[in-house]
């Protein structure tokens, strides 16, 4: 019996490298982006914030998308400006732009299985940021925990949007692809709770009667406990929690 197809649900710009690595394991990979990432209509506020980088005591990127969108406007990272990231994907995105622990201070959660804002905040010296400027680079919307916690510690927090994200519409082509994938048993790599909720909405729209139950039968591979909680809240029981980073996702396969 052939092994299940591996469905990679990341935004398309981040999916190809993982798909190639999956193919290197001898597995068939299908790229099915569940979040569309688009540039902002007006990038002026982002450019203005990035022009002030040397003034910040910390710049936090909430995702690899935030890194990629910001570095479209950054020629070189200013020396001495610390960076905060929540997962290995964002570290890898920084490395693609030449920013590593060898030439910059990068704060991140110490445990890859706990790659989120809460554990990044626990890693930071919040008292040292009191009265200092902090920039959070994110999508147009998102959780406010990081900003609220930093403000409560006395930091002067600014947030700036770097990109727009949305769940794709259920086109005829996407409907056919989803129907085919849900007809069998596959391994779905889900790296965002928002994407998983969007997938659940799409399968309900595709098949109001049985769509969700067909999703509940699939095997989900997720890098973070919050995504696993979202999966279980949707009734999915075949969930593998890996920790952050492509290496752990591939090891789970």
């Amino acid at each position: 019996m052939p092994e299940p197809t591996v469905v990679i649900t990341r935004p398309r710009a981040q999916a190809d490298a993982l798909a190639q690595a999956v193919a290197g394991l001898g597995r068939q990979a299908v790229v099915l982006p569940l979040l569309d990432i688009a540039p902002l209509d007006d990038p002026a506020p982002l450019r203005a914030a990035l022009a002030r980088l040397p003034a910040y005591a910390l710049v936090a990127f909430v995702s690899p998308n935030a890194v990629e969108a910001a570095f479209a406007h950054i020629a070189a990272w200013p020396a001495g400006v610390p960076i905060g990231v929540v997962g290995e994907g964002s570290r890898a995105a920084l490395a693609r732009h030449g920013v590593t622990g060898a030439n910059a201070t990068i704060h991140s959660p110490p445990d890859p299985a706990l790659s989120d804002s809460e554990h990044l905040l626990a890693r930071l010296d919040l008292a040292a940021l009191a009265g200092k400027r902090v920039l959070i680079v994110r999508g147009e919307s998102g959780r406010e925990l990081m900003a609220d916690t930093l403000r409560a510690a006395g930091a002067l927090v600014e947030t700036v949007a770097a990109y727009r994200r949305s769940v794709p519409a259920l086109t005829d082509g996407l409907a056919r692809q989803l129907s085919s994938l849900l007809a069998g048993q596959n391994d779905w790599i889900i790296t965002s709770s928002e994407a998983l909720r969007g997938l659940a909405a799409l399968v309900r729209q595709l098949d109001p009667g049985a769509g969700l139950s067909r999703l509940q039968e699939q095997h989900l591979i997720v890098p973070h406990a919050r995504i696993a909680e979202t999966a279980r809240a949707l009734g999915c029981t075949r969930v593998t929690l890996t920790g952050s980073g492509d290496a752990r996702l591939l090891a789970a396969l």
Side-chain angles (χ1 to χ4, degrees):
M1 179 180 295
E3 291 188 280
T5 294
V6 179
V7 187
I8 299 172
T9 65
R10 280 180 175 167
R12 186 165 297 278
Q14 298 169 19
D16 288 344
L18 181 57
Q20 291 172 6
V22 168
L25 298 176
R27 300 288 298 275
Q28 179 182 357
V30 170
V31 175
L32 182 75
L34 292 180
L35 285 178
D36 291 332
I37 305 298
L40 302 171
D41 292 335
D42 179 13
L46 174 62
R47 289 174 177 163
L50 297 176
R52 301 189 295 270
L53 285 177
Y56 296 108
L58 176 72
V59 178
F61 296 97
V62 302
S63 68
N65 291 315
V67 173
E68 297 294 351
F71 272 81
H73 307 284
I74 298 171
W77 190 256
V81 178
I83 298 170
V85 296
V86 298
E88 293 301 310
S90 295
R91 274 189 176 270
L94 288 170
R96 288 193 289 273
H97 295 281
V99 181
T100 69
N103 54 31
T105 299
I106 304 176
H107 301 287
S108 63
D111 184 350
L114 302 170
S115 52
D116 54 24
S117 299
E118 292 93 330
H119 290 87
L120 170 60
L121 289 164
R123 189 74 164 175
L124 298 174
D125 184 349
L126 296 180
L129 294 172
K132 297 181 179 178
R133 297 175 68 186
V134 173
L135 177 66
I136 299 174
V137 185
R138 53 183 247 181
E140 283 190 313
S141 61
R143 298 176 73 225
E144 298 294 337
L145 173 68
M146 186 184 301
D148 290 346
T149 302
L150 287 165
R151 289 191 181 104
L156 309 176
V157 179
E158 301 172 36
T159 63
V160 65
Y163 59 94
R164 174 182 296 116
R165 63 180 181 264
S166 60
V167 175
L170 187 64
T171 61
D172 290 343
L174 179 55
R176 286 192 296 270
Q177 190 175 23
L178 274 175
S179 292
S180 175
L181 291 169
L182 292 171
Q185 295 291 316
N186 298 301
D187 294 326
W188 297 64
I189 294 179
I190 309 282
T191 54
S192 160
S193 290
E194 182 180 2
L196 179 54
R197 288 190 291 268
L199 175 60
L202 288 169
V203 300
R204 287 188 182 107
Q205 185 179 351
L206 176 68
D207 184 349
L212 186 59
S213 63
R214 292 164 70 190
L215 175 61
Q216 291 166 343
E217 295 169 356
Q218 301 294 315
H219 176 218
L220 308 186
I221 300 173
V222 305
H224 191 272
R226 188 173 294 116
I227 308 173
E229 291 168 5
T230 300
R232 294 188 179 101
L234 289 168
C236 301
T237 56
R238 299 179 60 213
V239 181
T240 298
L241 175 61
T242 68
S244 179
D246 285 4
R248 293 174 180 83
L249 294 170
L250 293 167
L253 290 173

